[in-house]
Amino acid sequence: MLLDPNYLRDRIRTVPDWPQAGVQFRDITPLLQDPKTLRVLVEQFVFRYMDQDIDLIAGIDARGFIIGAILAHELNVGFVPIRKKGKLPYTTISEEYELEYGSATVEMHSDACKPGDRVLLIDDLIATGGTMMAGKRLLERLGAVVVEGCAIVDLPELGGSALLREGGLKLFTLVDFAGH
């Protein structure tokens, strides 16, 4: 288990004023670049979920694919991509969600899971929570049980984690950037 609670946090790069002025972007790519750090990161999720009877990992486009696919491999379960609209080649179902500046849509293949599948939903970061909530709704429309939502980073001041919990989603995150 992780001994130093700041080990991952200290390796997340903060990029000021990106993608727009006033935003402190939390860049997880340094976590992926170093093999030891990547292993520590993945093992935090493996230890949490290895005994939880999960059937599938659903990763949210795009950084949720990276950790989600590795975690699915480690847990010996399948992986389901939840993509931005228009990126999947087969029949899809879609869910629209609101952004600060409009709306967006995510999609998933219509045969991505089956009723009763126990699914873990993963992304790199929780900000406003809209994308993860849309992913949860997609999975539930196909009859899946979303066991938990997880992410590397939580930005609680943006309200996403509270919104997701109010929407009935259990959450687990590794790093909290409250007050930043």
Side-chain angles (χ1 to χ4, degrees):
M1 207 44 152
L2 188 60
L3 300 177
D4 178 0
N6 291 315
Y7 181 82
L8 294 174
R9 179 188 179 91
D10 291 347
R11 286 156 177 81
I12 295 170
R13 177 174 30 224
T14 299
V15 181
D17 299 318
W18 197 87
Q20 62 189 34
V23 173
Q24 298 290 312
F25 184 81
R26 306 303 178 175
D27 179 13
I28 65 150
T29 58
L31 301 177
L32 307 175
Q33 290 170 313
D34 178 67
K36 178 183 175 186
T37 305
L38 179 59
R39 182 169 301 280
V40 168
L41 170 65
V42 170
E43 286 181 356
Q44 298 311 297
F45 291 120
V46 169
F47 291 143
R48 178 164 181 90
Y49 297 111
M50 62 194 294
D51 295 323
Q52 291 202 24
D53 191 31
I54 292 170
D55 299 307
L56 295 167
I57 307 288
I60 297 173
D61 198 340
R63 290 176 295 271
F65 294 175
I66 300 166
I67 300 302
I70 296 170
L71 184 58
H73 172 77
E74 290 292 321
L75 296 176
N76 198 33
V77 300
F79 177 78
V80 172
I82 296 176
R83 304 257 2 226
K84 294 174 182 134
K85 186 176 182 174
K87 301 291 185 181
L88 292 170
Y90 186 64
T91 306
T92 61
I93 60 170
S94 62
E95 185 75 27
E96 188 173 305
Y97 61 99
E98 296 305 312
L99 301 167
E100 297 171 51
Y101 49 86
S103 64
T105 302
V106 289
E107 296 179 325
M108 170 172 96
H109 282 141
S110 59
D111 63 353
C113 61
K114 60 186 181 308
D117 277 346
R118 294 175 48 81
V119 181
L120 175 66
L121 185 56
I122 190 167
D123 203 355
D124 67 319
L125 182 140
I126 298 171
T128 63
T131 311
M132 190 169 279
M133 185 59 78
K136 176 183 182 287
R137 288 186 190 123
L138 282 174
L139 292 160
E140 290 174 342
R141 281 173 45 200
L142 293 180
V145 175
V146 181
V147 174
E148 194 164 72
C150 66
I152 301 165
V153 176
D154 183 19
L155 303 175
E157 291 180 357
L158 296 180
S161 51
L163 173 82
L164 292 164
R165 286 185 181 100
E166 289 167 12
L169 183 61
K170 279 180 50 180
L171 282 181
F172 174 72
T173 58
L174 296 173
V175 178
D176 182 317
F177 276 98
H180 294 272

